[in-house]
Amino acid sequence: MPTRPRINIAGYHHIINRGVDQMNVFRHNEDKDMFLQIVNKTAMIHKVVLHDYCLMDNHYHLLIETQTDNLSAFMRFVNANYAQYFNKKTKRTGHLWQNRYKSRYITSEPYLYTLIRYIEYNPIEAGLSTKAGEYHYTLAHLIFNSKDFYPCTKESILFREYDVESLSGFLGVEFSQEDLTFLQQEQNKKIEKKEDMIILSKSKLLEEHFSKIPSKKERNCIIYSAYLDGYSQIEIANYLGLSKSLISKVIKSGDSTAGVWF
């Protein structure tokens, strides 16, 4: 199977990497601490924001935002420096990481916020915790426990858009099969880089989404559907002649017929 091309352009990226042969690349808490120190140092140099993360024993998830087209340089430094540390500590040689890291370019707000919940839900899925923020090596844990955070997370969405109570509510919703299906659909969308632009085909025009609005309840469902299709809250608000705050309230409150809550 051909290798999926990376989108090395400024924006949000979901990074996943695993140890070679599924080996544990983090054997002790001090290893995870060292990895985060390396990420922080590299992020400060490359002007990268770390929006969220989860470090499991044999793999990691990073949600980062690059300001320039420097994703490859950033990741090369992170992976190489941690591999050097780990191999020296454990007196081993050879590759530490399984092939190259995987990266997904985040193309919409629904994708971004669902991904945050997915990252924070990883330890629960693995049976290492019972609720989001309980596992030590996620950003939510630092926020909920008022622990010192790394400077590269200072502009994280988790700090910028939520207080502790609202973040707890946002992450407290169980990550569903519908959420997972949505993420898989987003990951499988065709993305092309043309010059300095990302081209992503939407399934419908806004005129098609809102061609029929029988009731307020169904309108709210259609708003959510358009949001999942990649339209921003501002685009939907301007099209309908409604305030962005109302559109945001509809999306964040969810709807029982939509199958997903935010």
Side-chain angles (χ1 to χ4, degrees):
M1 181 179 294
T3 301
R4 179 182 177 128
R6 287 199 186 94
I7 302 296
N8 191 33
I9 192 171
Y12 293 91
H13 302 266
H14 176 207
I15 309 297
I16 307 171
N17 211 357
R18 297 181 180 277
V20 65
D21 296 327
Q22 299 291 316
M23 69 171 282
N24 287 349
V25 291
F26 306 116
R27 297 182 179 176
H28 306 282
N29 286 348
E30 64 184 25
D31 298 333
K32 295 185 176 80
D33 292 334
M34 176 57 70
F35 181 80
L36 288 173
Q37 289 174 32
I38 291 171
V39 169
N40 181 68
K41 179 180 178 181
T42 311
M44 301 306 288
I45 293 172
H46 288 82
K47 294 182 171 55
V48 168
V49 176
L50 179 60
H51 284 281
D52 203 3
Y53 62 85
C54 179
L55 308 187
M56 308 295 278
D57 288 346
N58 67 353
H59 72 282
Y60 66 76
H61 294 266
L62 302 178
L63 174 56
I64 65 171
E65 181 183 3
T66 57
Q67 309 301 316
T68 60
D69 301 354
N70 61 351
L71 173 64
S72 295
F74 170 78
M75 289 308 306
R76 184 167 58 249
F77 192 97
V78 168
N79 285 334
N81 277 268
Y82 182 76
Q84 184 179 30
Y85 154 83
F86 185 86
N87 284 349
K88 182 177 180 181
K89 178 185 176 183
T90 58
K91 296 181 173 57
R92 70 179 294 275
T93 58
H95 296 294
L96 178 63
W97 304 108
Q98 177 180 294
N99 301 320
R100 65 177 196 164
Y101 63 89
K102 295 180 180 179
S103 67
R104 296 290 186 269
Y105 189 81
I106 313 305
T107 54
S108 68
E109 288 182 350
Y111 188 178
L112 177 65
Y113 288 97
T114 305
L115 180 60
I116 289 173
R117 292 177 51 237
Y118 170 77
I119 290 173
E120 292 288 342
Y121 193 77
N122 257 249
I124 301 174
E125 177 67 20
L128 300 176
S129 63
T130 58
K131 61 181 180 180
E134 191 174 60
Y135 181 71
H136 282 223
Y137 287 94
T138 67
L139 184 55
H141 177 79
L142 296 186
I143 296 173
F144 291 152
N145 292 277
S146 301
K147 293 182 178 292
D148 292 336
F149 57 89
Y150 291 94
C152 66
T153 65
K154 184 173 64 174
E155 297 299 321
S156 167
I157 292 170
L158 274 65
F159 283 114
R160 198 173 64 225
E161 297 189 8
Y162 298 94
D163 55 25
V164 172
E165 183 178 355
S166 60
L167 181 61
S168 178
F170 171 64
L171 296 179
V173 179
E174 183 178 359
F175 195 84
S176 67
Q177 181 59 47
E178 288 84 357
D179 293 328
L180 185 58
T181 299
F182 168 68
L183 281 185
Q184 292 170 340
Q185 290 172 341
E186 291 297 301
Q187 290 172 356
N188 290 332
K189 282 185 177 178
K190 185 177 180 181
I191 302 171
E192 295 180 3
K193 178 182 177 183
K194 187 174 182 180
E195 296 179 352
D196 289 332
M197 296 179 62
I198 291 295
I199 300 174
L200 175 66
S201 297
K202 295 182 173 68
S203 66
K204 296 180 184 178
L205 298 174
L206 281 175
E207 289 87 343
E208 295 175 286
H209 276 290
F210 294 101
S211 61
K212 295 181 180 179
I213 309 178
S215 66
K216 181 178 178 182
K217 182 177 181 180
E218 289 182 272
R219 181 206 66 184
N220 290 350
C221 291
I222 297 171
I223 287 172
Y224 191 82
S225 177
Y227 184 62
L228 292 182
D229 198 17
Y231 289 97
S232 69
Q233 295 180 29
I234 286 290
E235 288 175 313
I236 297 171
N238 289 342
Y239 180 80
L240 295 176
L242 301 173
S243 68
K244 182 179 180 295
S245 61
L246 176 59
I247 300 300
S248 177
K249 183 178 180 181
V250 169
I251 291 170
K252 289 185 177 180
S253 65
D255 189 282
S256 59
T257 60
V260 184
W261 285 71
F262 274 81

